[in-house]
């Protein structure tokens, strides 16, 4: 499920973008949920996880550029596409990591050209992400944000750098295949992100946030080698 937000204070433009977006992803056989907002304040208050944000630069109240800055400050990692009538405004977009911009009036051909590239970028980005399925809900978690993973009674607990903990049902063996070389399984119940390792002493890995993770005796020798290799590659 791809979560998409459209923020434009012109209702006809917002509806136009929604129609093009819905049609584009329908043809890709990709499920979406689309929200529409009429001002930056609404987006900032919505509290929803957003994968793609279409954002009008010139709006009443908080402008699109300031809205984008605040979104990034609050941890928004999704794809940002600006909507504008002024091409020169786009030069400011680099500081908020905008993916692209579309000039009003938006032609379907231009829209689809941007979206084709964006879908490829999403697929590439997913290689560094973990898709977590919990019931009918799904969530994309950046591997970079995971401090360590723990399994308790068939449930995985992802401990994030933000202190949030996400739980879902899976086997740790399945999770291990989806992670990259920055992760090490130091215990049958734990996978740690070496980036957040602060120190290792007497069978305990000390992680960021004062978390202490046990390292099994069977894995301690390999763990020391992995740490050294990781440090060389940094």
């Amino acid at each position: 499920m791809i979560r998409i937000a459209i923020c434009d204070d012109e209702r006809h433009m917002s509806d136009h973008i929604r129609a093009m977006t819905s049609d584009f992803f329908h043809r890709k056989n990709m499920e979406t949920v689309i929200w529409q907002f009429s001002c930056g304040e609404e987006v900032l208050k919505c509290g929803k996880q957003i994968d793609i944000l279409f954002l009008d630069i010139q709006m009443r109240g908080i402008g699109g550029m300031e809205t984008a800055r605040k979104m990034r400050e609050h941890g928004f990692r999704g794809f940002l596409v600006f909507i504008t009538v002024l091409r020169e405004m786009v030069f400011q977009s680099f500081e908020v990591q905008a993916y692209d911009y579309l000039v009003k009036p938006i032609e379907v051909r231009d829209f689809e050209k941007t979206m084709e590239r964006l879908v490829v970028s999403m697929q590439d980005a997913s290689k560094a992400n973990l898709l977590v399925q919990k019931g009918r809900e799904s969530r994309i978690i950046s591997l970079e944000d995971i401090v360590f993973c723990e399994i308790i009674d068939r449930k995985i607990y992802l401990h994030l750098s933000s202190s949030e903990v996400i739980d879902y049902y899976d086997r740790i063996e399945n999770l291990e295949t989806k992670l990259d070389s920055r992760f090490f399984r130091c215990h049958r119940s734990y996978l740690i992100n070496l980036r957040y390792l602060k120190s290792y002493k007497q069978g305990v890995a000390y992680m960021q946030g004062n978390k202490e993770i046990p390292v099994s005796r069977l894995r301690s020798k390999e763990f020391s080698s992995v740490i050294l290799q990781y440090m060389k590659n940094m």
Side-chain angles (χ1 to χ4, degrees):
M1 178 73 74
I2 301 172
R3 299 168 175 82
I4 300 166
I6 302 166
C7 183
D8 196 305
D9 58 4
E10 296 180 79
R11 184 69 194 195
H12 71 280
M13 179 56 63
S14 181
D15 289 343
H16 179 48
I17 296 170
R18 182 186 183 113
M20 289 190 294
T21 302
S22 180
D23 181 60
F24 176 83
F25 282 106
H26 178 72
R27 284 186 277 112
K28 294 282 185 186
N29 292 316
M30 300 172 75
E31 291 187 33
T32 60
V33 57
I34 303 175
W35 301 292
Q36 290 174 267
F37 302 98
S38 60
C39 63
E41 290 88 344
E42 289 181 358
V43 180
L44 292 169
K45 292 177 181 177
C46 76
K48 300 179 184 297
Q49 181 190 346
I50 299 170
D51 300 314
I52 302 172
L53 173 61
F54 293 98
L55 186 60
D56 187 15
I57 288 183
Q58 294 178 294
M59 295 186 292
R60 295 183 294 273
I62 300 178
M65 200 63 68
E66 183 60 24
T67 299
R69 288 193 189 98
K70 291 182 180 295
M71 290 286 287
R72 292 301 190 198
E73 288 171 6
H74 295 164
F76 171 59
R77 293 178 176 273
F79 291 88
L80 173 62
V81 179
F82 276 124
I83 309 300
T84 181
V85 292
L86 302 171
R87 289 181 183 273
E88 56 268 27
M89 292 290 292
V90 230
F91 293 110
Q92 302 175 42
S93 66
F94 294 106
E95 62 185 274
V96 290
Q97 300 161 23
Y99 181 79
D100 204 351
Y101 68 96
L102 294 167
V103 179
K104 297 180 181 179
I106 302 173
E107 299 292 337
V108 174
R109 182 179 61 182
D110 295 332
F111 177 84
E112 298 208 343
K113 185 177 179 180
T114 290
M115 295 309 294
E116 289 288 354
R117 290 192 300 107
L118 193 150
V119 166
V120 172
S121 297
M122 286 185 72
Q123 292 169 341
D124 289 342
S126 69
K127 297 174 184 176
N129 293 327
L130 178 67
L131 179 63
V132 172
Q133 193 76 34
K134 188 175 181 180
R136 298 182 64 183
E137 290 294 317
S138 59
R139 181 170 172 182
I140 299 173
I141 308 296
S142 171
L143 298 186
E144 184 179 330
D145 293 337
I146 301 174
V147 179
F148 68 95
C149 315
E150 179 182 18
I151 187 163
I152 302 174
D153 296 331
R154 297 189 304 111
K155 185 177 276 191
I156 298 285
Y157 293 83
L158 303 179
H159 296 258
L160 307 186
S161 57
S162 63
S163 297
E164 181 183 4
V165 179
I166 298 171
D167 63 276
Y168 65 104
Y169 286 101
D170 199 358
R171 298 174 63 226
I172 198 166
E173 291 79 10
N174 291 338
L175 172 61
E176 193 172 8
T177 64
K178 300 172 185 176
L179 303 178
D180 58 26
S181 59
R182 80 191 88 177
F183 289 87
F184 180 77
R185 189 172 178 183
C186 61
H187 186 279
R188 65 179 182 179
S189 300
Y190 292 95
L191 280 156
I192 65 171
N193 187 338
L194 297 172
R195 177 180 176 233
Y196 294 99
L197 178 68
K198 297 303 179 185
S199 63
Y200 170 54
K201 185 178 179 181
Q202 297 180 341
V204 178
Y206 295 88
M207 308 295 291
Q208 176 178 300
N210 299 318
K211 300 292 184 181
E212 299 180 11
I213 308 298
V215 179
S216 70
R217 284 183 297 172
L218 291 174
R219 298 176 185 266
S220 59
K221 186 175 181 180
E222 182 186 358
F223 186 42
S224 298
S225 299
V226 167
I227 293 172
L228 289 173
Q229 188 60 47
Y230 179 76
M231 292 175 69
K232 287 179 183 177
N233 295 336
M234 286 181 68

